[in-house]
Amino acid sequence: MANLAYILQESFDGFRRARISSLISTMTITFLLIIIGIFALVSTNVDHIVTALNARFDIQAFIDNTLDDSQITGLRQQLSQIEGIRQISFYSKEQAAREFQKEFGEDLFDILGENPLPSSFNVVLRQEYRTPDLIESVAKGISDLRGIDEVVYNNQALKILGKYAQMAKVINSAILIFVSFGSLLVISNTVRLIIIAKRSIITTMQLVGATRGFIQSPFIIEGLVQGSAGGILASVFLYLGSQILVIEVPGLIHTSLVIYIFVLSLGIFFGILGSLFAIKRFL
Amino acid sequence: MVELNNVRHAFPTGDGIRHITFSISPGEFVFLVGPSGAGKSTVLRLIYMDLLPDEGHIVVSEFNSLFMKRRDIPQMRRKLGIVFQDFRLFPDRDVFENVAFVLKVVGRRTKEIKRRVLRAVADVGLSHKARKMPDELSGGEQQRVAIARAIVNEPYLLLADEPTGNLDPTTAAGIMDVLERINARGTSILMATHNVDMVNRYRGRKLHIMNGELV
């Protein structure tokens, strides 16, 4: 018990005696965790952005101009039986003309004396069908129906998006690993410089019979506290930063508690391991 | 009992000590006298097992250099008090805490630590400076703190490596008085020094070392 009291007292005194160097290592951990946190946020949000963009994906099926209302109703019936379709909305020729006028500022009827725009179905696919291959097969099923003139969708964009999202995730994860590893080295080196300053003290402690554990425990507790402080500061920064971003661009990024827990745990891990690495060479 | 038996230790440079055999009985005051580089500090380092012998063996209380494990070394050093020429105080804590550290290492209770530290600090005449930091003290005072730290756990043997080397003659005499008082209470002392004139003024066995051998 006397030892535990000593270790806690000594750790606390360590901060008091070396405010500047404690502050430096805490800030080092904070900055590195912010960088790691940003990469972690990007990693989790790549998925989110892809999902958000995919959700807007739809297929437009243009209907043969010669079909009457009852035939269109029948066509809709057939359409709804195709696997993978979540929602079908009907756009009449008149709605299409209104959209056209909104877009071009001209009334087609005035120019042409008739409305050449076809009516169409707007088809939204179920989430699990929003992959390039499945989209193609659903689109084929739709265009095969009698009464559908043409099917339009932007599969290419989806393919590119999917490809780059995958690549972004891999690159981002690689950077995350490198930055984490680099952080451990930087933190360990910072602690090492602080310990070098205490080298003669450590030697004297050994000469008066202090055991390894007795000497290193306060350093590890210091590392733990600095790591936790860095983790908390970095989490606060990331939270505030993402809140500001969300105000600027609503829905751009989603943060979750998991990110903050990750950053905090990493801080504690870095703090302890950094101290252990650094002190190992002197004991 | 402290015993060195035909001890040899060679450094990679070729320097070192050899054929060192002597023992120190309880309560003895022994001087290890010789010029710089003769091997005095090496003998002391071998006794506190900062170095281990290449040949022969060293016995300190129940510890034998032949059977020492790394983890036994702190236990062994707790039986010794060590004083250096350059004091080696902890610059980041005051006199009281410097002396108290030794007792915290062995896990003594706070109340006992206080009692013992105050007594040790009084023994070296520094009660009025217990809350001073090392850099607020003179060289002689710093060495007294180092001695207080060395004796506070009632060591089996006090090792002093040129304890007066950095001090003027008057201050050195004061340190010698303190060491004699401690010795008179029964603590064995082994003091290494190059100062033959000074040693001759004090009682105690003299071992002379030259080029790594006792002469």
Side-chain angles (χ1 to χ4, degrees):
Chain A
M1 279 322 281
N3 268 355
L4 184 67
Y6 161 79
I7 287 162
L8 293 178
Q9 180 68 41
E10 192 68 8
S11 314
F12 175 75
D13 286 351
F15 288 119
R16 202 171 45 79
R17 291 190 198 111
R19 282 188 210 101
I20 302 288
S21 56
S22 296
L23 199 68
I24 289 170
S25 33
T26 306
M27 292 322 284
T28 307
I29 294 176
T30 307
F31 288 134
L32 293 168
L33 287 176
I34 287 171
I35 294 170
I36 291 171
I38 289 171
F39 278 107
L41 273 175
V42 170
S43 268
T44 50
N45 279 289
V46 166
D47 282 338
H48 168 69
I49 291 164
V50 169
T51 311
L53 289 176
N54 280 353
R56 293 188 191 162
F57 180 84
D58 54 14
I59 297 175
Q60 264 190 302
F62 294 102
I63 302 162
D64 186 344
N65 250 335
T66 60
L67 263 52
D68 61 27
D69 285 355
S70 70
Q71 284 171 307
I72 289 174
T73 312
L75 192 58
R76 187 179 182 137
Q77 203 77 51
Q78 286 175 280
L79 204 54
S80 65
Q81 274 156 25
I82 294 176
E83 188 109 3
I85 292 176
R86 193 181 75 189
Q87 192 192 327
I88 302 163
S89 3
F90 176 71
Y91 285 88
S92 65
K93 291 167 70 75
E94 292 71 30
Q95 275 170 311
R98 275 199 296 276
E99 287 288 319
F100 186 94
Q101 195 183 0
K102 232 197 274 174
E103 201 160 326
F104 295 98
E106 297 281 352
D107 190 345
L108 268 177
F109 203 83
D110 287 347
I111 300 166
L112 301 174
E114 58 163 352
N115 178 4
L117 297 174
S119 54
S120 63
F121 290 118
N122 196 301
V123 176
V124 178
L125 297 186
R126 294 218 306 267
Q127 174 74 43
E128 63 270 28
Y129 276 80
R130 285 184 209 142
T131 68
D133 289 348
L134 285 172
I135 287 166
E136 213 165 288
S137 82
V138 174
K140 177 137 194 344
I142 296 171
S143 68
D144 283 350
L145 293 177
R146 191 181 297 272
I148 296 291
D149 249 3
E150 199 187 351
V151 171
V152 174
Y153 60 98
N154 199 345
N155 205 5
Q156 202 54 36
L158 206 65
K159 271 184 182 160
I160 290 167
L161 184 68
K163 195 172 124 197
Y164 282 113
Q166 201 55 41
M167 208 150 82
K169 267 164 82 174
V170 171
I171 291 170
N172 201 62
S173 305
I175 292 173
L176 191 61
I177 290 166
F178 281 123
V179 172
S180 302
F181 188 68
S183 303
L184 191 57
L185 295 182
V186 170
I187 291 163
S188 170
N189 201 47
T190 310
V191 182
R192 198 172 68 90
L193 292 176
I194 292 165
I195 292 177
I196 284 176
K198 292 190 171 185
R199 194 177 198 162
S200 68
I201 295 178
I202 291 172
T203 311
T204 307
M205 286 177 170
Q206 288 174 321
L207 288 177
V208 300
T211 56
R212 198 190 168 97
F214 193 82
I215 297 170
Q216 77 182 7
S217 301
F219 287 103
I220 291 170
I221 302 276
E222 274 182 63
L224 168 78
V225 174
Q226 287 167 2
S228 313
I232 291 167
L233 286 175
S235 295
V236 168
F237 180 90
L238 289 171
Y239 175 76
L240 294 178
S242 58
Q243 288 308 300
I244 290 166
L245 269 182
V246 166
I247 291 169
E248 292 291 320
V249 190
L252 181 70
I253 46 174
H254 281 199
T255 58
S256 69
L257 197 59
V258 179
I259 297 274
Y260 304 122
I261 292 171
F262 169 72
V263 166
L264 181 61
S265 321
L266 211 61
I268 293 171
F269 177 73
F270 281 169
I272 292 176
L273 214 64
S275 295
L276 265 179
F277 274 2
I279 194 147
K280 223 183 75 168
R281 305 188 212 180
F282 297 105
L283 285 175
Chain B
M1 177 69 115
V2 176
E3 199 180 295
L4 284 81
N5 216 316
N6 198 22
V7 172
R8 186 178 78 88
H9 181 86
F11 291 106
T13 53
D15 296 339
I17 53 133
R18 56 202 167 273
H19 311 310
I20 301 286
T21 300
F22 69 90
S23 63
I24 301 169
S25 312
E28 234 190 327
F29 199 137
V30 179
F31 291 97
L32 184 60
V33 192
S36 299
K40 304 182 298 288
S41 295
T42 306
V43 171
L44 263 56
R45 286 176 70 190
L46 283 157
I47 294 174
Y48 64 80
M49 298 193 193
D50 190 32
L51 301 171
L52 287 173
D54 297 335
E55 269 172 36
H57 68 269
I58 299 164
V59 176
V60 178
S61 183
E62 73 265 35
F63 298 95
N64 186 324
S65 65
L66 291 176
F67 312 114
M68 281 305 276
K69 295 193 187 74
R70 233 180 99 94
R71 65 164 186 277
D72 294 332
I73 289 177
Q75 310 301 325
M76 190 274 296
R77 287 185 183 161
R78 292 173 191 180
K79 303 261 179 190
L80 304 173
I82 313 175
V83 176
F84 297 94
Q85 181 174 0
D86 58 355
F87 323 135
R88 304 216 187 159
L89 298 178
F90 299 119
D92 58 350
R93 48 201 95 188
D94 64 23
V95 170
F96 183 95
E97 289 301 328
N98 259 279
V99 179
F101 183 84
V102 178
L103 297 175
K104 289 179 177 176
V105 163
V106 295
R108 299 255 187 241
R109 293 179 172 283
T110 313
K111 210 173 157 186
E112 195 193 344
I113 290 175
K114 200 166 180 182
R115 194 172 53 79
R116 283 201 188 206
V117 171
L118 292 178
R119 180 177 296 167
V121 172
D123 281 346
V124 298
L126 283 176
S127 299
H128 57 302
K129 298 201 168 171
R131 283 300 173 205
K132 295 282 182 209
M133 298 298 280
D135 60 7
E136 298 175 293
L137 303 175
S138 69
E141 287 169 333
Q142 290 190 47
Q143 192 59 294
R144 284 162 187 263
V145 177
I147 293 171
R149 187 176 67 187
I151 59 169
V152 73
N153 198 28
E154 294 169 359
Y156 193 77
L157 171 69
L158 180 65
L159 294 173
D161 193 355
E162 297 276 10
T164 58
N166 275 358
L167 307 172
D168 64 74
T170 317
T171 313
I175 294 295
M176 288 309 295
D177 287 346
V178 171
L179 292 177
E180 282 200 308
R181 268 207 319 274
I182 291 163
N183 177 243
R185 291 206 309 248
T187 306
S188 317
I189 298 180
L190 174 62
M191 173 172 156
T193 181
H194 67 278
N195 194 337
V196 184
D197 295 340
M198 191 192 71
V199 165
N200 288 335
R201 292 200 295 273
Y202 294 92
R203 281 190 300 163
R205 184 150 59 104
K206 280 102 188 176
L207 298 170
H208 291 270
I209 186 168
M210 191 82 79
N211 295 326
E213 288 186 78
L214 292 178
V215 290

